[in-house]
Amino acid sequence: MKIAIAGSGAMGSRFGYMLHQAGNQVTLIDLWPEHISTINTKGLSVESAGEQKFVRIPAAFPEDVHDDFDLILLFTKAMQLSDMLKKIAHLLTENTAVLCLSNGIGNLENIQKVAPHIDLLVGTTLWTSELVGPGSVILNGSGYIEFRAIENVSHETVNKINDVLNAAGLNARPSNNVLLSIWKKACLNGVLNTLCTILDCKIMELNKSQYTSVLTKRIVAEFESVAKAKDIPLTAELALKTIDASLAPDQAGDHYPSMHQDIASGRRTEIDYLNGAIARMGKELNIPTPTNTLITELIHAREDIAVKN
């Protein structure tokens, strides 16, 4: 397949690398000049299992890409998704499928507002990656993808995309309830990303404190209450099981999550599409969400201190 990665940060670079290694023609699209320049000059630096390699994958700004693609993977952060879609509008042809794997609640609605007629699939992934500098990523652990066609996508196309993803070792599977998958991932990130960012620790280090278990249960309980009101079958038991599995070192627990990476690099985070979304919807539905509201405010405070002007 000819595949474009729109948003080639930590996760986009990992997927671009794995799909490239499987023989696909991949183009990395991003907005960070130094990242693009480094990849094109030196290659994408990929470190995995203590080994480093440099991989030649073309990288470009959206306006400099003019190819026809079979598939575009959206990995842009939630708050930048609408802007990226506008920048790649010239690439959204009738022959191009778009799969959004960006984190957060509300991405589907944002995509449908900006690009209502595209061949759209949405999903979530538990793969992880760490962007350690321009053109440089560290790959951690294993993962999987759950996705579903939303509009205008044939079963043949879904199966072809699934086959391509699995040929790259990405462990993809169509989902019968992709909204549940998205909410479950948002709850996972609403715990691991936020607590690691506030406490300045790696994922597996959360187990060192009894207080993180208490906070986790409070965050999850509020996610469950709002999900129930939205007819999303997310239960605390299901969410906690997913969270516990992610704490293991062999499941990428031995790294800092993306929100921590964002703060460390002076970037804004996706908090308004995670805990912030729960706080906002809770207010609309008259459901108390004190823990998620506080978590959101704490992350925004960290952003204000860390973000580069």
Side-chain angles (χ1 to χ4, degrees):
M1 271 191 174
K2 288 185 68 176
I3 301 172
I5 312 291
S8 299
M11 288 298 296
S13 291
R14 172 166 200 158
F15 271 61
Y17 162 71
M18 293 178 73
L19 288 163
H20 169 82
Q21 294 297 94
N24 298 285
Q25 187 176 336
V26 176
T27 299
L28 302 176
I29 299 175
D30 206 73
L31 303 176
W32 185 11
E34 193 175 1
H35 188 52
I36 293 170
S37 175
T38 300
I39 293 172
N40 287 331
T41 302
K42 300 179 180 179
L44 177 66
S45 171
V46 179
E47 183 179 333
S48 178
E51 296 184 3
Q52 183 184 28
K53 64 177 69 175
F54 290 87
V55 184
R56 292 288 181 178
I57 306 175
F61 295 104
E63 61 270 23
D64 295 330
V65 180
H66 300 285
D67 288 342
D68 292 326
F69 294 98
D70 302 304
L71 175 66
I72 296 176
L73 288 178
L74 286 175
F75 269 113
T76 306
K77 289 189 177 297
M79 63 279 196
Q80 300 164 346
L81 190 55
S82 295
D83 181 58
M84 177 60 82
L85 282 168
K86 293 174 184 176
K87 283 182 166 62
I88 64 169
H90 61 290
L91 303 177
L92 304 177
T93 72
E94 61 181 10
N95 298 318
T96 303
V98 177
L99 170 57
C100 179
L101 294 174
S102 298
N103 289 328
I105 296 170
N107 290 329
L108 173 58
E109 292 79 5
N110 287 339
I111 294 170
Q112 290 175 325
K113 287 179 184 177
V114 178
H117 303 300
I118 60 175
D119 294 357
L120 178 62
L121 307 97
V122 297
T124 186
T125 178
L126 285 185
W127 286 99
T128 61
S129 181
E130 186 173 355
L131 184 66
V132 293
S136 181
V137 291
I138 298 176
L139 310 188
N140 303 287
S142 61
Y144 61 85
I145 303 167
E146 294 181 341
F147 72 100
R148 181 183 177 184
I150 300 298
E151 295 178 1
N152 309 322
V153 184
S154 68
H155 290 297
E156 180 182 3
T157 298
V158 171
N159 291 335
K160 184 176 181 181
I161 291 171
N162 191 65
D163 290 344
V164 167
L165 294 172
N166 281 321
L170 287 163
N171 302 329
R173 57 189 184 232
S175 172
N176 292 325
N177 194 333
V178 74
L179 289 180
L180 171 60
S181 300
I182 290 171
W183 275 67
K184 183 173 65 173
K185 176 66 181 299
C187 187
L188 172 77
N189 286 336
V191 171
L192 302 186
N193 274 262
T194 58
L195 294 184
C196 287
T197 301
I198 293 168
L199 299 173
D200 190 21
C201 69
K202 295 181 178 181
I203 291 173
M204 66 181 184
E205 293 175 321
L206 290 174
N207 278 329
K208 292 183 178 180
S209 173
Q210 61 179 327
Y211 296 103
T212 58
S213 176
V214 175
L215 288 166
T216 294
K217 290 176 182 176
R218 289 176 180 171
I219 293 168
V220 169
E222 293 175 12
F223 263 85
E224 181 184 43
S225 296
V226 174
K228 183 178 180 181
K230 290 285 187 177
D231 294 322
I232 306 293
L234 177 70
T235 65
E237 180 182 4
L238 177 61
L240 290 170
K241 182 179 179 181
T242 304
I243 292 165
D244 288 343
S246 297
L247 291 170
D250 62 348
Q251 292 299 317
D254 190 20
H255 87 291
Y256 294 103
S258 59
M259 186 176 290
H260 187 285
Q261 297 173 41
D262 288 336
I263 291 293
S265 299
R267 297 188 296 264
R268 294 284 175 186
T269 74
E270 298 172 310
I271 189 63
D272 287 333
Y273 296 85
L274 300 170
N275 310 71
I278 297 303
R280 182 178 65 254
M281 288 185 284
K283 185 175 181 180
E284 293 169 354
L285 296 165
N286 199 29
I287 297 172
T289 59
T291 305
N292 281 282
T293 299
L294 178 58
I295 291 288
T296 302
E297 292 167 347
L298 287 171
I299 294 297
H300 278 312
R302 287 223 59 189
E303 287 178 336
D304 289 342
I305 295 171
V307 168
K308 300 173 183 176
N309 296 322

